[in-house]
């Protein structure tokens, strides 16, 4: 599978659902891969993506986008962004909050999984993250 392959988009109902009661450690790969970014970059990327973003988990200073399974393998390098997927030699788990945890700063859904939100298109996410990395927060604040 490569990033250009047709995949389930963020408007499709999820075949996987978050835990109901407590935070669970979920193995990355079977249902989705993740892209991890510092929250400062992640918030700028979210603003650029708008409604095109799928589900996002946040935990203090980090954000995790759910992306199609297998796409982390093709991500490549990007400053401060880490692709986590089943393609590595080690098994990776991500803490996943219950659907009701939608406020932080602890582990919560920044953008919850829902009928209209699941996976983020990796090409759109790459472009948004690249722009977010290139954006100087000080310049952004003076432009407002």
């Amino acid at each position: 599978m490569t990033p250009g392959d047709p995949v389930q988009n963020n408007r499709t109902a999820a075949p996987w659902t978050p835990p109901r009661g407590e935070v669970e450690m979920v193995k990355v790969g079977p249902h989705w891969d993740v892209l991890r970014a510092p929250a400062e970059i992640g918030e700028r990327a979210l603003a650029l993506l708008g409604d095109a973003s799928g589900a996002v988990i946040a935990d203090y200073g980090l954000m995790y986008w759910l992306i199609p399974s297998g796409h982390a393998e093709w991500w490549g390098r990007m400053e401060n962004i880490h692709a986590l997927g089943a393609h590595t030699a080690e098994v990776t788990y991500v803490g996943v909050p219950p659907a009701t945890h939608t406020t932080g700063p602890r582990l919560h859904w920044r953008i919850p999984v829902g009928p209209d939100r699941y996976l983020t298109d990796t090409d759109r996410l790459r472009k948004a993250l690249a722009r977010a990395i290139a954006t100087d927060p000080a310049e952004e604040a003076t432009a407002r």
Side-chain angles (χ1 to χ4, degrees), residues 23-62:
V23 170
E24 288 182 11
M25 297 304 290
V26 177
K27 184 177 179 181
V28 175
H31 305 288
W32 33 256
D33 287 350
V34 296
L35 289 177
R36 182 179 68 203
E40 180 179 294
I41 293 169
E43 289 295 340
R44 291 195 303 264
L46 269 180
L48 293 165
L49 284 166
D51 287 340
S53 181
V56 180
I57 298 170
D59 189 16
Y60 289 98
L62 296 172

Side-chain angles (χ1 to χ4, degrees), residues 58-60 97 101-109:
D59 189 16
Y60 289 98
H101 290 200
T102 57
T103 59
R106 292 188 201 171
L107 190 67
H108 67 282
W109 288 99

Side-chain angles (χ1 to χ4, degrees), residues 15-137:
W16 168 88
T17 58
R20 293 189 187 271
E22 308 250 344
V23 170
E24 288 182 11
M25 297 304 290
V26 177
K27 184 177 179 181
V28 175
H31 305 288
W32 33 256
D33 287 350
V34 296
L35 289 177
R36 182 179 68 203
E40 180 179 294
I41 293 169
E43 289 295 340
R44 291 195 303 264
L46 269 180
L48 293 165
L49 284 166
D51 287 340
S53 181
V56 180
I57 298 170
D59 189 16
Y60 289 98
L62 296 172
M63 296 175 78
Y64 299 81
W65 270 266
L66 303 186
I67 62 171
S69 185
H71 280 226
E73 180 177 4
W74 305 104
W75 184 259
R77 293 196 172 272
M78 186 176 275
E79 182 182 350
N80 295 318
I81 309 302
H82 299 279
L84 307 171
H87 67 283
T88 61
E90 60 205 39
V91 176
T92 304
Y93 289 84
V94 170
V96 177
T100 56
H101 290 200
T102 57
T103 59
R106 292 188 201 171
L107 190 67
H108 67 282
W109 288 99
R110 175 63 178 79
I111 306 289
V113 169
D116 62 342
R117 297 259 191 237
Y118 184 44
L119 305 175
T120 301
D121 178 84
T122 50
D123 290 332
R124 284 184 176 180
L125 182 54
R126 175 181 295 284
K127 289 173 187 168
L129 287 168
R131 282 186 59 198
I133 290 167
T135 303
D136 180 352

